[in-house]
Amino acid sequence: MKNYHRLDEIQKDLYDHKITCQELVSHYLENIKRNEHLNAFLEVFESEALAKAERIDEKIKDNKAGKLAGLIFGIKDLLCYQNHKVSGGSRILESFESLFTSTAVQKLLVEDAIVIGRQNCDEFGMGSTNENSAYGLVKNGLDKSRVPGGSSGGSAVAVQMDMCQISLGTDTGGSVRQPASFCGVIGLKPTYSRISRWGLLAYASSFDTIGIFSKSIHDNQIVLETIAGKDDRDATSSSQEFSIKESTKAAWKIAVLEEASNQEGLQSEVNDSLKVTIDSLEKTGNVVNRVNFPLMDYVLPTYYILTTAEASTNLSRYDGAHFGHRSAATSNLESMYKLSRTEGFGDEVRRRIMLGTFVLSADYYDAYFTKAQKARKLIIDATNEILEKHDFILIPTASTTAFPIGKHEGDPLAMYMSDLMTVQASVSGIPAISIPLSKDKYGLPIGMQIMSKAFDEEKLFAISKHLLNE
Ligand code: GLN
């Protein structure tokens, strides 16, 4: 079976009776098997997906299928799916089964999409390479010696290698966009609050956003349209609906941040790709301005102070009593807490809990946490000011293409630095998309990132279609 680019192509063949949903699921299952060594899936729902496909084939015959019939998707191991394991890539939740389904997954299922499996990720979404999973690292399908990016590495590789048509990942500081860039697929982080976080294991609640990996903008739009909107179970979810409109080509005004394109460590081919993108935008009637963003140096520290603080609070629920792992070696209540958490969490998660606890401690609260909150407000205001005068901000998604596995081993700071380009949209809560626009000399994909005002995803899709010729 061919590697379908868009859902409407799949649906055309389904309704013309050229293929069946069961054949489609079998095709992805074969690809999952063939690519087992990449470690993208932690669990495959083989018999369930095939049984569901049989039912949907019946519905198609009766013309009663939902709008996403034929869409086979995977979910990052941070999204709950009732009566299925969800572990957050962590030992602490190794045998934990979810009692309910996350709103985003549920909304896809209602429209007859089929979930094919649970995808590997960095533990609780903390990481940029998928090397922090308790269940082994994920390899990039284009070069097995390289990382796929993270934390949603399994979800990106699954779409890259046609193991499913789309994946739901999560993006707190770049975890959908950066792996999309490293794997050569499309990755959307919608506006914060666009999609309900109900059923998403929390990392940093004021940043966490469900995001969508796809091969086409068309599929990304239709999935966003289905899963966006108000949910009474998430008080922060927005009531703004998202509906697909015909994209009309406009003459856009685009800001390119000087500080991002002058970054130390920016791979020359990434910079070249940015220049080519700018040229092509200018040649097609758009205005591109080079703009200064002096706060660039503060974005990463602000992100890491606030997210570790929120993580230390959110992860306090994993205490050996409420969920998941309880140490067998405990002698009293305190040792149960300590040992369960020490045995259950990996190094990076422990580091972040300690950092977060430190910045929230009474003596340092004002020096770090309060200051970072103020910095966040300044970053939001400065970003919005640029977006008042421009339709978009354009910068590379990452400074480099996918790097070798183990490159930043033992150097957490170097790892944090690799998030430099993606955290601005996360701190500001605005939408951002990564689209694959070129390749480096090794054939590794280079992603460009476009940001827009909050709730302007439709415009992001329009410029992406323009740049991708979709
Ligand atoms: N790499 C970033 C971090 O480790 C982003 C992670 C994410 O978006 N979940 O925090």
Side-chain angles (χ1 to χ4, degrees):
M1 186 176 286
K2 72 176 186 189
N3 178 339
Y4 283 97
H5 192 63
R6 293 165 53 132
L7 176 64
D8 54 1
E9 295 165 4
I10 294 177
Q11 290 183 331
K12 181 163 188 315
D13 285 356
L14 276 175
Y15 284 92
D16 286 349
H17 305 293
K18 288 191 182 142
I19 56 165
T20 64
C21 243
Q22 291 174 81
E23 284 164 356
L24 200 57
V25 169
S26 302
H27 160 78
Y28 295 120
L29 289 172
E30 271 167 36
N31 281 348
I32 292 174
K33 211 153 253 138
R34 190 172 305 133
N35 291 296
E36 222 164 32
H37 58 286
L38 301 177
N39 203 21
F41 279 85
L42 294 176
E43 192 180 350
V44 183
F45 310 138
E46 182 166 343
S47 48
E48 243 181 274
L50 284 168
K52 179 94 191 273
E54 197 180 337
R55 286 204 298 280
I56 291 171
D57 282 333
E58 286 303 315
K59 281 192 177 181
I60 289 172
K61 265 192 220 139
D62 299 342
N63 246 324
K64 286 193 176 132
K67 78 168 181 182
L68 298 183
L71 182 72
I72 317 298
F73 71 106
I75 51 175
K76 184 180 186 179
D77 187 28
L78 280 169
L79 290 164
C80 294
Y81 179 31
Q82 192 173 31
N83 299 331
H84 292 75
K85 282 187 181 171
V86 58
S87 75
S90 180
R91 284 268 169 247
I92 209 153
L93 285 178
E94 189 162 11
S95 47
F96 182 77
E97 271 192 16
S98 182
L99 298 173
F100 57 85
T101 299
S102 53
T103 301
V105 172
Q106 186 61 31
K107 284 182 166 182
L108 293 182
L109 296 178
V110 165
E111 289 297 339
D112 285 338
I114 296 175
V115 56
I116 199 158
R118 182 162 63 91
Q119 295 159 333
N120 205 347
C121 62
D122 283 306
E123 190 174 358
F124 289 108
M126 299 178 192
S128 314
T129 57
N130 216 133
E131 292 167 292
N132 295 339
S133 165
Y135 305 100
L137 53 81
V138 176
K139 294 175 181 164
N140 194 315
L142 287 172
D143 177 346
K144 291 191 284 293
S145 70
R146 291 176 189 267
V147 300
S151 63
S152 317
S155 309
V157 170
V159 173
Q160 175 193 44
M161 302 307 283
D162 198 30
M163 298 187 244
C164 52
Q165 186 66 14
I166 69 117
S167 296
L168 288 188
T170 68
D171 190 313
T172 303
S175 280
V176 166
R177 289 161 285 156
Q178 185 253 25
S181 172
F182 281 13
C183 292
V185 299
I186 294 164
L188 172 76
K189 179 201 96 75
T191 309
Y192 176 80
S193 82
R194 235 320 169 202
I195 300 170
S196 165
R197 286 179 295 114
W198 173 257
L200 155 62
L201 304 191
Y203 159 15
S205 310
S206 76
F207 295 78
D208 292 343
T209 315
I210 291 176
I212 306 159
F213 290 97
S214 64
K215 304 174 203 172
S216 64
I217 297 295
H218 168 269
D219 288 5
N220 219 297
Q221 281 178 300
I222 196 159
V223 170
L224 183 66
E225 183 177 66
T226 311
I227 64 180
K230 184 74 191 159
D231 178 9
D232 291 339
R233 285 173 292 197
D234 173 4
T236 63
S237 63
S238 162
S239 52
Q240 294 219 30
E241 298 291 331
F242 173 81
S243 53
I244 302 176
K245 294 183 196 77
E246 260 322 296
S247 54
T248 45
K249 168 77 184 83
W252 292 303
K253 268 180 97 175
I254 299 135
V256 174
L257 305 184
E258 285 286 3
E259 287 76 5
S261 46
N262 291 333
Q263 271 311 317
E264 208 183 301
L266 186 69
Q267 194 174 320
S268 60
E269 291 144 308
V270 175
N271 206 7
D272 293 346
S273 173
L274 177 66
K275 285 188 194 139
V276 170
T277 310
I278 293 170
D279 271 1
S280 98
L281 283 167
E282 282 177 336
K283 280 198 190 107
T284 45
N286 304 287
V287 176
V288 181
N289 294 327
R290 297 254 173 198
V291 167
N292 282 101
F293 186 64
L295 292 176
M296 191 77 179
D297 284 348
Y298 298 93
V299 185
L300 203 64
T302 301
Y303 169 80
Y304 271 97
I305 291 171
L306 295 178
T307 53
T308 52
E310 293 187 28
S312 80
T313 310
N314 274 326
L315 271 59
S316 65
R317 75 192 70 184
Y318 306 109
D319 57 4
H322 292 90
F323 307 94
H325 176 74
R326 177 182 298 179
S327 172
T330 59
S331 52
N332 56 28
L333 187 66
E334 197 176 324
S335 75
M336 181 196 72
Y337 289 149
K338 276 190 186 156
L339 285 171
S340 302
R341 286 167 70 80
T342 308
E343 289 166 11
F345 289 136
D347 288 348
E348 183 59 28
V349 171
R350 284 210 294 269
R351 180 180 298 117
R352 302 223 186 167
I353 291 173
M354 285 191 279
L355 276 170
T357 308
F358 174 77
V359 300
L360 288 176
S361 61
D363 284 349
Y364 295 98
Y365 192 93
D366 281 342
Y368 292 102
F369 187 70
T370 309
K371 203 179 246 175
Q373 294 277 39
K374 288 181 183 164
R376 184 178 201 178
K377 174 82 173 77
L378 294 176
I379 293 162
I380 294 173
D381 290 348
T383 302
N384 284 339
E385 205 181 304
I386 298 173
L387 288 169
E388 283 307 317
K389 298 189 195 110
H390 299 87
D391 299 289
F392 305 108
I393 297 173
L394 168 73
I395 58 172
T397 311
S399 314
T400 65
T401 51
F403 44 80
I405 290 168
K407 184 171 181 219
H408 294 318
E409 207 177 310
D411 190 353
L413 214 54
M415 190 72 96
Y416 300 165
M417 289 300 285
S418 68
D419 299 331
L420 196 69
M421 304 287 195
T422 48
V423 284
Q424 182 184 4
S426 307
V427 168
S428 311
I430 56 173
I433 194 165
S434 176
I435 54 174
L437 282 189
S438 53
K439 295 198 165 125
D440 72 4
K441 60 174 183 283
Y442 300 114
L444 296 167
I446 298 173
M448 281 297 138
Q449 179 183 206
I450 312 156
M451 303 175 233
S452 73
K453 274 197 204 97
F455 299 103
D456 246 354
E457 281 86 350
E458 196 48 57
K459 238 182 188 175
L460 281 187
F461 289 136
I463 191 171
S464 302
K465 280 187 174 170
H466 171 70
L467 288 167
L468 290 167
N469 281 324
E470 187 180 312

